[in-house]
Amino acid sequence: MSEAIIKIQNMNKWFGDFQVLKDINLEVEKNKKIVVCGPSGSGKSTLIRCINRLEEHQKGSIVVDGTELSENTKNIEQIRAEVGMVFQQFNLFPHLSILDNCTLAPIWVRKMPKKQAQELAMQQLEKVQISDQAQKFPGQLSGGQQQRCAIARALCMEPKIMLFDEPTSALDPEMIKEVLDAMVNLAKGGMTMIVVTHEMGFAKEVADEVIFMDEGMIVEKAETKEFFANPKSERTKLFLSQIL
Amino acid sequence: MSKFTFLKSDRSNIQLVLITGTFLITISILDVFLNSFFRLNLISFLPSKVSFLTPFIIGMIGLNLIRIEYSGNKFLDILNKNINTSNFNAALTLIIIFVIFKAIPPSLSWMILDANISGDTKEACTGTGACWTYIKVWFRRFMYGMYPNEQHWRINTAFLLVIGLGTFGLFATEKMKKFLALYYVVIYPIIAFLIIYYLISGGYFGLEWIETGAWGGLSLTFIVSFFCLIFCFPLGMILALGRRSNLPAVRYISIGYIEFWRGVPLITVLFMSSVMFPMFLPEDFFMDKLVRVIIAITLFEGAYCAEVIRGGLQSLPRGQYDAAKSLGMGYWKMHIFVILPQALKLVIPGICNTFLALVKDTPLIFVVGLAELAGMLALAKTNPKWLGFAMEGYIFAAIIFWIICYAMSKYSYNLEEKYKTDR
């Protein structure tokens, strides 16, 4: 057993009066791949956005890489630098070329020399197979290419953890595969990953554990094979029967 | 029946219809043309009331005849599509053509043909047209105000220096590009101020001291606009960010500031700056009137800039903030590298709008006794030796202001094109 890199205890979050997350307990060990699934509005995205504090939780504790996230966290930028994130809508910076998108944060946050940052960016773009598009702007690329670039951009920070927030939901069916391939490669490389997705094929292939969420609670958490073979809760069975 | 089919235009009788239609239109336009340029009336044999409307009616019939859909004639199709889609549009087309023809000869003869430009006294203007002599004689005053004639080179040199330094960005090497923003926001305004202060104001290096009260004309318009523009932009940027800040103190100060300055008219602000403001200052403290005016306009326009920029900030999707944060960028890095470049690009038209308004607001400084271009005109037209030439003066000023504003808006289009990366 290796140590847990993310520890969430009794975490609660409200949007106004509405409670989005109820008593979340979760431990993620290093190099594990977790897939989070569930119906929309179940709080999956909010959960992973809490992990790099794009959303603030109101109760309980979240410890990432040994640092507790709270209002007093002065070094939240340092934690975010260690936690890469890929969004549903890609969120590339449209005013910068693909290469500049990838080098911006390493240069200004990691204080990396420009040349080194560019080499690193090219390596990462190579891995997701869009190094030939490096000089183009995001607007000139297809959705799949943009999302792969977003993955490369996050990887350029050499993060310890990668969060994926429905990375394939905004894509044409044809482009989903190229993005999933990139993610599978990343998983095989040993990255710690938390992936919110509806791609059950991907979950079966790479996930160590699958979490099913509904109405802000973790309904079921099990090893992948177990999850698909013997779902325990009725809600999970219903969900799986509809999605598979 | 056969006559009826003749009037109905379609592809089968295109030849006939086209010739007849073109002939009628030509007659109608030619009539108005000759009438207004050469005072000939082709159809004077008709009673005057009929003859007044005849060209219009003939033209309408002609345009009606040539209105054929998918005629197969490319030129005719383009023409129909653009100026002749319906009877209403045909009427508008004719009226516009007629109005242009009617308006050209009188304005042409007033501005050029019957105008005078020779001589240097009012008596030289003998024609019925404009008296450009007036502009010629007063030209230096309009450009430089009451600034002594033999010292005009100082203004010219200062402007050339400032413009020269402004083009610095075009020659910057890749390495220096990083510092361009810093240069334009901080260093350039300071250098420009020093140049203008030492060169135009003088009092040092053996240059004669010339008080700002003597400055004036177009050069003063430029000086006021220039400093207000470069100072109000960063001010607006800071206020816009402040208004969106999470810190309550910063936010409420920004909101208060913006709402205060947007709530008062510029003319009151100018009065305050020149009349009220000195009363609150200690007695030995002196601030030049021109400086006070520039500060007043800057503070005023900064509030408008702030709201324009805030519009740009708000139009950015939240995902951009999320992405920047998730890469570990702090507030300033996020804004400098991700948010502001995109937001400012979006607000180029709005900022240009504000800046144009600012340039055209500068004549208001006349109320505190500073005579820029329009102010000098107001002085000149009341000069007893040159009474009665207000029209020429204002046309001259209108042309100059139009050139300045058009150049600015053209430049803003270029900027938009240059920074367009989304496609």
Side-chain angles (χ1 to χ4, degrees), chain B residues 240-283:
Chain B
L241 292 179
R243 193 163 182 173
R244 288 168 58 82
S245 167
N246 289 328
L247 309 169
V250 176
R251 186 166 69 243
Y252 287 118
I253 290 172
S254 305
I255 292 176
Y257 180 95
I258 291 169
E259 295 307 337
F260 173 76
W261 288 100
R262 290 204 305 172
V264 287
L266 181 55
I267 204 156
T268 8
V269 176
L270 290 172
F271 266 124
M272 292 282 262
S273 76
S274 80
V275 183
M276 301 278 290
F277 185 62
M279 289 187 204
F280 300 114
L281 289 176
E283 263 178 41

Side-chain angles (χ1 to χ4, degrees), chain B residues 101-169:
Chain B
F101 279 170
K102 290 276 185 200
I104 285 175
S107 45
L108 205 64
S109 66
W110 187 82
M111 286 185 76
I112 295 166
L113 300 177
D114 296 338
N116 288 86
I117 194 162
S118 56
D120 354 85
T121 53
K122 190 183 176 184
E123 283 64 43
C125 289
T126 48
T128 51
C131 181
W132 299 124
T133 316
Y134 165 72
I135 302 292
K136 191 180 77 179
V137 172
W138 283 84
F139 188 77
R140 286 198 154 216
R141 294 278 83 82
F142 291 156
M143 293 296 117
Y144 304 105
M146 297 304 180
Y147 209 84
N149 277 354
E150 63 278 10
Q151 304 285 341
H152 287 171
W153 64 269
R154 281 161 56 180
I155 296 184
N156 296 340
T157 324
F159 279 4
L160 285 178
L161 278 174
V162 170
I163 293 170
L165 285 168
T167 55
F168 182 73

Side-chain angles (χ1 to χ4, degrees), chain A:
Chain A
M1 285 284 282
S2 59
E3 36 151 357
I5 195 164
I6 301 173
K7 244 186 209 169
I8 304 178
Q9 280 173 334
N10 297 323
M11 194 259 279
N12 286 270
K13 171 160 181 62
W14 287 264
F15 281 136
D17 290 337
F18 179 67
Q19 188 166 10
V20 226
L21 295 174
K22 298 166 193 164
D23 277 328
I24 302 287
N25 285 292
L26 179 66
E27 287 198 5
V28 181
E29 285 161 21
K30 228 175 172 178
N31 301 339
K32 292 281 175 170
K33 292 106 188 84
I34 312 285
V35 164
V36 183
C37 60
S40 62
S42 58
K44 320 177 288 283
S45 294
T46 314
L47 172 63
I48 68 165
R49 287 168 65 88
C50 281
I51 293 173
N52 65 356
R53 213 171 163 72
L54 288 178
E55 302 284 358
E56 293 172 15
H57 60 282
Q58 277 93 21
K59 227 174 108 188
S61 76
I62 302 177
V63 179
V64 177
D65 199 21
T67 313
E68 175 160 2
L69 305 184
S70 69
E71 259 173 47
N72 301 322
T73 315
K74 291 271 190 294
N75 49 356
I76 185 67
E77 276 96 39
Q78 284 172 22
I79 293 168
R80 283 179 182 153
E82 303 301 336
V83 183
M85 183 149 184
V86 176
F87 300 88
Q88 184 176 355
Q89 297 296 340
F90 329 136
N91 294 345
L92 293 178
F93 305 135
H95 61 301
L96 297 175
S97 71
I98 297 300
L99 186 62
D100 289 342
N101 260 285
C102 293
T103 57
L104 184 68
I107 291 175
W108 294 99
V109 178
R110 289 257 191 253
K111 312 279 177 214
M112 203 182 269
K114 197 171 178 188
K115 211 160 223 163
Q116 196 188 334
Q118 282 176 343
E119 278 166 22
L120 174 68
M122 286 313 285
Q123 274 175 26
Q124 298 294 354
L125 289 172
E126 192 73 52
K127 275 188 199 163
V128 293
Q129 295 169 2
I130 44 168
S131 52
D132 50 332
Q133 315 279 352
Q135 300 309 324
K136 289 193 181 165
F137 284 95
Q140 298 165 314
L141 267 53
S142 74
Q145 288 170 324
Q146 288 193 44
Q147 190 61 295
R148 282 184 281 153
C149 167
I151 295 174
R153 177 177 72 175
L155 290 176
C156 282
M157 289 296 286
E158 296 174 321
K160 294 179 180 158
I161 305 163
M162 281 287 283
L163 307 173
F164 292 84
D165 187 0
E166 306 204 27
T168 55
S169 300
L171 295 173
D172 284 348
E174 275 185 319
M175 294 169 179
I176 290 178
K177 191 172 175 299
E178 62 190 49
V179 172
L180 288 181
D181 285 348
M183 288 164 64
V184 170
N185 283 339
L186 182 63
K188 284 179 183 153
M191 175 66 74
T192 312
M193 289 162 74
I194 300 183
V195 184
V196 173
T197 186
H198 298 298
E199 297 294 330
M200 289 302 125
F202 172 79
K204 280 177 188 163
E205 188 177 346
V206 300
D208 296 311
E209 276 181 8
V210 181
I211 293 174
F212 177 71
M213 286 184 73
D214 190 27
E215 292 178 341
M217 285 179 294
I218 295 184
V219 177
E220 186 152 351
K221 176 170 182 275
E223 298 215 340
T224 312
K225 272 185 192 160
E226 185 73 9
F227 181 86
F228 287 105
N230 298 311
K232 291 200 181 63
S233 103
E234 285 303 314
R235 185 68 187 86
T236 318
K237 282 178 194 163
L238 181 67
F239 179 76
L240 285 177
S241 71
Q242 278 166 347
I243 205 167
L244 288 178

Side-chain angles (χ1 to χ4, degrees), chain B residues 22-95:
Chain B
T22 317
F23 176 72
L24 289 176
I25 296 166
T26 317
I27 292 277
S28 120
I29 292 175
L30 192 68
D31 177 55
V32 176
F33 180 80
L34 292 176
N35 197 339
S36 75
F37 280 81
F38 302 103
R39 312 200 179 249
L40 288 175
N41 199 346
L42 287 185
I43 38 180
S44 52
F45 53 86
L46 291 168
S48 67
K49 261 194 187 148
V50 183
S51 117
F52 179 73
L53 276 177
T54 317
F56 181 70
I57 294 164
I58 295 176
M60 281 299 286
I61 296 172
L63 283 172
N64 198 15
L65 277 177
I66 63 165
R67 194 180 303 135
I68 308 166
E69 266 183 78
Y70 310 116
S71 61
N73 182 333
K74 214 174 184 184
F75 177 72
L76 186 62
D77 278 347
I78 293 173
L79 194 77
N80 280 335
K81 201 175 156 193
N82 289 315
I83 64 168
N84 193 18
T85 43
S86 66
N87 279 332
F88 178 69
N89 284 350
L92 283 184
T93 305
L94 283 178
I95 290 171

Side-chain angles (χ1 to χ4, degrees), chain A residues 49 80 92 94-95 108 139, chain B residues 320 322 325 333 337 423:
Chain A
R49 287 168 65 88
R80 283 179 182 153
L92 293 178
H95 61 301
W108 294 99
Chain B
Q320 292 293 317
D322 285 348
K325 281 185 198 161
K333 278 175 194 162
F337 297 116
R423 201 107 303 258

